[in-house]
Amino acid sequence: MYKKLLLLLLFFKCFAGFAETIRTDVLVVGGGASGVAAAIQSARSKIKTILIEPGPWLGGSMTSGGMCILEGNRTLASGIYAEFKNHIRELYKPRLGYDTTTNAPLVFEPYTGAAILKRITDTVKNLTVKMNTPFTAVKKDGTGWEITIMQSGKAVTIKAKLVVDATELGDVAAAAGVLLTAGFDSRTDTKEELAPQNATNQIQDISYLAILKDYGRGIDRTIPQPAGYDATQYACLNNADIKKMLASAKLPNDKYLINWSDCANQYPITSDDLNPENREATFKKAKLRTLGLIYYLQTRLGFKNLGLTDDFKTTDHLPYLPLIRENRRAAGMVRMVLDDIYTPYTRGSQLYRTSIAVGDALPGQHYSIPGAPHINYPPFPAYSIPLGAVVVKEQENLLVTEKAMSVTHLVNSSISYPSVQMTLGQGVGATAAYCIFFETTTKNLKPRIIQGEILDFKGMLMPFADIKTTDRDYRAIQQIGATGLLQGIQKPNGNSARVLFMPDSVVHTAEIKPFLNEIYSRAFLWFNKEKPGELFTIGNLLSYISEMTLRDPKNLQDGIQKTWKTYYKFTTGFDATRPVTRREFAVLANRFFNPFARKVDMSGKFIN
């Protein structure tokens, strides 16, 4: 009898233990901008995916953190970010005054952004989303991982083949023992001319943002005086044009985003302040800084009619988390530096060839502490984000996003922007799906296959502002751009620089000859024989295609001439003596000798 009872108890214990283990292919930890996009893409690539988020909302900084005016990637919206952006604009466009022009910042109320992300994830097959679910432990399991989560007050183990650390602070990477660095890198270390001579542990300030609403003249919404309030901390606002500052951050429904610099709601920190044991105290002080600002605005500057909204269901009505601009960065398979942004085509490594996303956000320099280095960036170009920057070097099947990416401090100040991170998340999701589909690990990634999956879902590899995802030749131009055969052209405008493809400009022989000679052995012979002029003609291109593909020259020309406008939809007439445009060259090169098919390694070098 006792033996039977003991066996029964053991059975139930084993069954219970089995029931507390969940298995999945991909686990994304953190439902911020990058995490939600990574989970969506992984699942859409037909991979079983779980997304866990410790808070009540999806979206991270741009929803739970209140950063709901997005200027980054305004002209580079693609894939999942474009989907999110379109949902926002469709919702708000009936509102009087809502700006839906292409290059306008994306503006929304935080809870609206969170609701739209939930609506999108609810429709994605192969995706399970678990809200209010923190993780508590990380353990390596062969090439996969075991992650312990808290679900309904109980510890549950998730066994995943691959994990994406999309937490705000790189907590999974830290728990897994990944080498992490923080603060300003030294010039000696990164070889960046703009880096300071010496490294420091100073990182950008955090900010508790606030959403205020105009409750109307005569309404007093003054909050109680916060603990430790010091009016002198906000004295720099006495001569500021507050009405102008409010107008520049206006949200729908008479609301305003308070994300002010200098003496306002920035709170200076070092990376040590964001360690798990210090976070609660640090965040409390940052909250008091923002509450003090609101109290000052109401009592000293005369805006009693402005009060906190109930957008966030917190006791103080501030966001669920602060806006964190920077923390510790992981050691990845490659490290992205400023030269990969300013001079991507002239470096020893050609990381743009491994791109999985694009970014177009000005680097932030949010330091309220005196003495922090100020970087005089030249006009900042749009850029490609390399695959190796999200792949942890020493840990298999662990990908990192948000602030934990393998970039330098000077790159991080742009790349951590929420809309850039959402664009990046799609590339990370495609990378995760590649590992599962091909039953391999992050040590054996093939950039071209991953990039093909990203393009299948209207993602973007090259930051060409003048070639939209709706362009009929979008894929061909993206693929040719990712080889470097035709390079993007930087056009400075103020403190930024757009990168253009310029599809209607003509191709110069000098720009394509070095590339063709590098990757095609017979190209050298062709150039010596044909001796094309300064401008590469349509006839030159057809002759080159004939040489590379062994097609009959006359049949090739006759076939292309007949289909020039019907199949290829070129708008200019066919004339073999005319200089070929960059669009025409990209489309025909991509079709007939397809340089994108040439494999590249993680540094962007071609593999023979």
Side-chain angles (χ1 to χ4, degrees), residues 51-127:
L51 169 64
I52 62 170
E53 162 56 38
W57 286 1
L58 295 175
S61 294
M62 65 183 189
T63 58
S64 296
M67 182 64 175
C68 54
I69 299 179
L70 303 181
E71 298 192 5
N73 282 20
R74 282 188 283 177
T75 60
L76 299 179
S78 63
I80 294 168
Y81 178 60
E83 183 180 349
F84 172 72
K85 184 177 181 180
N86 290 339
H87 278 300
I88 293 285
R89 291 190 165 175
E90 283 298 311
L91 178 68
Y92 285 119
K93 73 178 182 181
R95 310 288 179 94
L96 185 65
Y98 189 82
D99 192 348
T100 59
T101 53
T102 301
N103 63 345
L106 185 64
V107 179
F108 53 94
E109 294 160 283
Y111 62 76
T112 299
I116 286 173
L117 290 175
K118 183 180 185 304
R119 188 189 314 161
I120 295 173
T121 56
D122 284 347
T123 65
V124 178
K125 295 181 180 179
N126 307 307
L127 176 59

Side-chain angles (χ1 to χ4, degrees), residues 426-473:
Q426 182 164 4
V428 171
T431 305
Y434 167 88
C435 291
I436 305 305
F437 182 83
F438 288 99
E439 298 182 349
T440 188
T441 74
T442 51
K443 289 184 177 180
N444 302 298
L445 298 176
K446 295 183 179 179
R448 289 295 187 233
I449 296 177
I450 295 168
Q451 290 172 325
E453 183 77 353
I454 293 167
L455 291 174
D456 284 346
F457 287 88
K458 294 298 182 182
M460 188 175 288
L461 308 178
M462 305 304 295
F464 299 146
D466 55 344
I467 304 295
K468 306 303 180 189
T469 57
T470 53
D471 190 293
R472 68 182 185 277
D473 301 319

